[in-house]
Structures are given as C-alpha cells and as structure tokens.
Amino acid sequence: MAERENDNWTSSTDFVLLGIRDVPILQNLLFLLLLMIYSVTMVGNILIVVLVVADRHLHTPMYFFLGNLSSLETCYSSTILPRLLASFLTGDNSISAHGCMAQFYFFASFATTECYLLAAMSYDRYLAICQPFLYASLMTWKVSFHLAAASWLGSSLLLLVVTVAFSQLQFCGPKSINHFFCEFSPVLELAHLHLLLWCGSKGHWEPRGYWELGRKT
C-alpha cells in the first residue's frame, strides 16, 4: 500500500480543469470569442513571419527578432487555446497527468523564451539608438542568431529541469485545478494539499481539517 501511494503521480493521476464552468450561460459566447481571438492571432503572426522571410528589405536583426517573436506567439497560443476550445465543445474538462505536464512545460518554456527575446530586442534597439555608427559591426547576423538560439534553447532546458522536478510531486484528494490550463500555482496548491494530508495521516490528525486548511491557503 505504501509503495502504491509513493508511486510517481504521473503514472495514474488525471486532473479536472475547472476553468470557467461557473458561467455556463456564457459558454457559447466565450467559445466564439476565443475562437475569433485565436484565429486572428494565428493569421496575424503567420503573416508577419511570411512577410519577414519573403521581403529582403526586412532581413535585418530587428525584423529577425520580430519574426521569432511572432513564431513564439503562434506556439504560445496553440499551447492553451485549442485545448480550451475543445473543452467548450465536448464538455470534457479532464486532462491526463502527462498532458498536464506537457502543457505546463510548453507554456512555461514559451513564456520564458518570450522574456529572453524581448530582452534581446531591447539590446538590439539600444545599440541602434546609442551606438548607431557601431551598430552594424556589433549586431551582426551571427550575434542575432546566437541571441535568438540562446533564448529558445536556454528556456527549453531550464523548464525541462523544472518540469522534471515538478512531475515528482505527490497528490491525493480531489484533483481539481482551479484554472483553465495547467499553470504552476494551481497545480502546486494540490501538492501542498497532499503534504498536509500526508502529515495529518502520519500524526493521526483529521484529514478533512487539513483539506479545508489547504483550500484556505
């Protein structure tokens, strides 16, 4: 029994994304609104990438970073919105443990990459404004590529470590995530709840009281 409780939670746990089920009347309206936002986001960012690639006049570091940012926004939106739209259509708000970890990894990785890319774009504009005569020699294509690659790879590796550590957490009790996707804080609250319940069971305390305490915190 103890071995079963200590098994990695990703092997058998399913979660329920509570999302915005508290307003069932607005489900259809929210579906149409989110579908329109997702479509505009995808089309707009894809057009930016195509334009940057096709037009030679835009083959500059600034537009290179902008193309990376648009590609990132396409991936970023696709991590959450398709799953959310599908839940509106099917009414199925459950997500597997592996799916939850995958969603968390890609969402957090793309969010971190966005921060790094914005920092690289800020550095590019700083050189263009403050060092205009040295800009061409300082911000070469090689430097631009290295900055972009470091943004993508650095965040991917960093979040890989975080996700592996995150996946080792243990859970018990209700598996309801008070969010519309697997974001860090709501999932971590469930792990906190498990810790309280586990301590309560070891000390012969009442688990229900700790469940209520976990919800309050």
Side-chain angles (χ1 to χ4, degrees), residues 11-64:
S11 61
S12 60
T13 304
D14 285 338
F15 293 104
V16 176
L17 298 173
L18 298 180
I20 39 187
R21 294 191 303 175
D22 296 336
V23 283
I25 301 178
L26 302 178
Q27 296 291 307
N28 293 332
L29 178 62
L30 289 173
F31 173 80
L32 294 175
L33 178 62
L34 290 174
L35 179 62
M36 182 179 65
I37 293 174
Y38 180 60
S39 301
V40 171
T41 300
M42 294 294 292
V43 172
N45 284 300
I46 291 175
L47 286 177
I48 291 176
V49 174
V50 171
L51 184 62
V52 170
V53 173
D55 193 344
R56 293 185 176 180
H57 295 90
L58 300 181
H59 290 180
T60 62
M62 181 180 72
Y63 288 103
F64 171 72

Side-chain angles (χ1 to χ4, degrees), residues 127-145:
L127 293 179
I129 296 172
C130 299
Q131 303 289 339
F133 298 108
L134 300 176
Y135 175 76
S137 60
L138 293 176
M139 185 57 68
T140 61
W141 275 109
K142 183 177 180 180
V143 173
S144 302
F145 177 79

Side-chain angles (χ1 to χ4, degrees), residues 58-118:
L58 300 181
H59 290 180
T60 62
M62 181 180 72
Y63 288 103
F64 171 72
F65 288 124
L66 183 61
N68 274 268
L69 191 62
S70 296
S71 301
L72 177 67
E73 289 295 331
T74 301
C75 300
Y76 194 60
S77 302
S78 299
T79 303
I80 300 173
L81 289 180
R83 174 67 183 76
L84 182 59
L85 292 172
S87 68
F88 280 130
L89 289 178
T90 63
D92 182 14
N93 295 309
S94 63
I95 184 172
S96 66
H98 294 290
C100 186
M101 280 297 98
Q103 188 180 63
F104 165 75
Y105 169 75
F106 287 112
F107 170 79
S109 176
F110 292 142
T112 306
T113 302
E114 183 177 28
C115 295
Y116 290 156
L117 280 176
L118 290 175

Side-chain angles (χ1 to χ4, degrees), residues 172-217:
C172 65
K175 306 297 192 306
S176 300
I177 299 176
N178 191 24
H179 215 305
F180 55 87
F181 72 100
C182 291
E183 203 262 341
F184 181 80
S185 297
V187 179
L188 190 62
E189 288 180 1
L190 298 183
H192 174 62
L193 168 62
H194 167 79
L195 178 61
L196 291 172
L197 289 170
W198 184 83
C199 292
S201 64
K202 292 294 182 180
H204 305 289
W205 296 322
E206 178 60 38
R208 183 178 178 182
Y210 281 90
W211 159 240
E212 294 172 352
L213 177 59
R215 294 191 64 181
K216 291 178 181 179
T217 55

